[in-house]
Amino acid sequence: VKDSNREHTIAIFNLTRSQLEAFRLDETEDGNHTVHVQYTSRRDGEIVDMPSEAAQADADTHDVNLYRNYYDSMTDETMVEIQKADCKCDIYNEYGTTYDPTDSTSTPVIDEAHKAQTIFYDIKDFTDGNKNTFPLYIDTDSMGAVTLTSSNPGVLTINPSKVPHRADRFDPDNPSDDFGFGTMVTVHAAGRTTITATIESTGAFKAGTYTFDVYIYPDPSAKPIVDVVERAYNLTRNDGTIRPYDTLRYTATYTNTTPNSSFQNPVLTI
């Protein structure tokens, strides 16, 4: 923009949320950030102070030299508010597909049928020579660090369970908003657990959470074996003796010692 003999430059910041994350935009409490524009006569090479020297150098070496016609300067900082957006945070159950999280060329199946809702499996699906693992795919447009948890690690665990910030995956030549990744679930025993994925907030996106339950049913053909421990407590005195009219409390603890088995309609008689 020219104004009389002066030339003005308008700086326009046109950045995507992925670019902001890749540049590691700091997270602020109120979403406010500061920006400024810095003017420099040169960014590389030699700067000369006389226009005749610049012309002679260019004629001799055909190098791009620039006459220093203005002093380096910087504008005042300007406050800019960047409102965080809701990030995409979905999990897809890849059990039964060919997806392999350890293979960078493997493609997950992302459709409504594979979206992880409440999942039911039999323990025999992961024993008797079958793989005891199945893959999950976390689909997100945020680079924020991700933590995956199982509420009952005795039933299943997740690896990796912590995935760091993924700014290294941003390619300025081929920009994308796909920063999803795969992980592997290992089934250990029958039971119920809740899987939770939490994406940390960044300077561009809010935090995201996805939760679903997994039920691993026991093997109905496995015979349960019960171990019983009985205890009696004297609620009247604690000197180790029992006297007439003392109040006693009896407890019995029943433990099924056969892994991945269960009782069907048990009856307890006292």
Side-chain angles (χ1 to χ4, degrees):
V1 179
K2 287 190 175 181
D3 176 15
S4 191
N5 291 325
R6 299 175 61 85
E7 186 171 303
H8 306 274
T9 300
I10 299 176
I12 299 176
F13 295 89
N14 185 17
L15 300 173
T16 66
R17 293 190 181 276
S18 295
Q19 288 175 311
L20 293 174
E21 285 193 306
F23 298 154
R24 294 299 186 108
L25 177 70
D26 290 335
E27 183 180 3
T28 61
E29 186 174 342
D30 56 5
N32 286 326
H33 303 265
T34 57
V35 298
H36 67 267
V37 177
Q38 184 173 3
Y39 171 82
T40 57
S41 294
R42 270 301 285 237
R43 298 190 61 173
D44 59 351
E46 180 186 359
I47 300 176
V48 297
D49 293 311
M50 297 295 294
S52 58
E53 294 179 15
Q56 184 60 48
D58 187 45
D60 293 341
T61 64
H62 302 290
D63 190 15
V64 179
N65 287 272
L66 188 65
Y67 165 55
R68 189 202 303 271
N69 53 352
Y70 291 104
Y71 289 107
D72 295 352
S73 60
M74 186 172 68
T75 65
D76 294 333
E77 290 187 339
T78 301
M79 191 70 68
V80 174
E81 180 182 2
I82 300 177
Q83 295 183 346
K84 293 183 181 180
D86 293 326
C87 70
K88 179 169 60 175
C89 181
D90 294 315
I91 299 181
Y92 292 88
N93 178 18
E94 301 296 328
Y95 177 83
T97 71
T98 59
Y99 175 62
D100 181 1
T102 63
D103 183 357
S104 60
T105 64
S106 186
T107 303
V109 179
I110 299 178
D111 56 25
E112 197 61 29
H114 287 81
K115 196 168 185 179
Q117 309 290 337
T118 302
I119 297 175
F120 303 92
Y121 291 125
D122 294 324
I123 188 61
K124 297 186 73 173
D125 295 332
F126 304 98
T127 57
D128 298 340
N130 298 316
K131 289 183 178 180
N132 67 336
T133 60
F134 66 93
L136 297 175
Y137 184 78
I138 292 78
D139 185 28
T140 180
D141 53 2
S142 172
M143 301 180 192
V146 181
T147 300
L148 295 126
T149 61
S150 168
S151 63
N152 190 347
V155 174
L156 61 81
T157 52
I158 307 166
N159 185 41
S161 60
K162 292 184 179 294
V163 178
H165 195 286
R166 296 171 302 289
D168 58 319
R169 285 178 49 182
F170 180 75
D171 184 357
D173 297 325
N174 297 286
S176 170
D177 60 357
D178 177 16
F179 297 99
F181 59 92
T183 189
M184 192 67 77
V185 172
T186 300
V187 176
H188 302 288
R192 173 186 175 275
T193 188
T194 300
I195 292 179
T196 302
T198 303
I199 302 178
E200 294 182 3
S201 61
T202 66
F205 285 103
K206 300 176 185 177
T209 302
Y210 192 99
T211 299
F212 63 99
D213 294 329
V214 180
Y215 291 83
I216 307 294
Y217 290 128
D219 181 0
S221 64
K223 182 180 179 180
I225 299 175
V226 178
D227 179 59
V228 181
V229 177
E230 296 179 330
R231 290 186 175 89
Y233 301 89
N234 190 334
L235 304 181
T236 303
R237 67 190 73 253
N238 58 9
D239 60 1
T241 64
I242 299 177
R243 301 178 185 180
Y245 305 107
D246 282 357
T247 300
L248 304 180
R249 183 179 69 188
Y250 294 90
T251 65
T253 302
Y254 296 80
T255 303
N256 180 8
T257 60
T258 303
N260 300 320
S261 66
S262 67
F263 279 101
Q264 302 296 322
N265 302 318
V267 177
L268 177 64
T269 302
I270 299 177

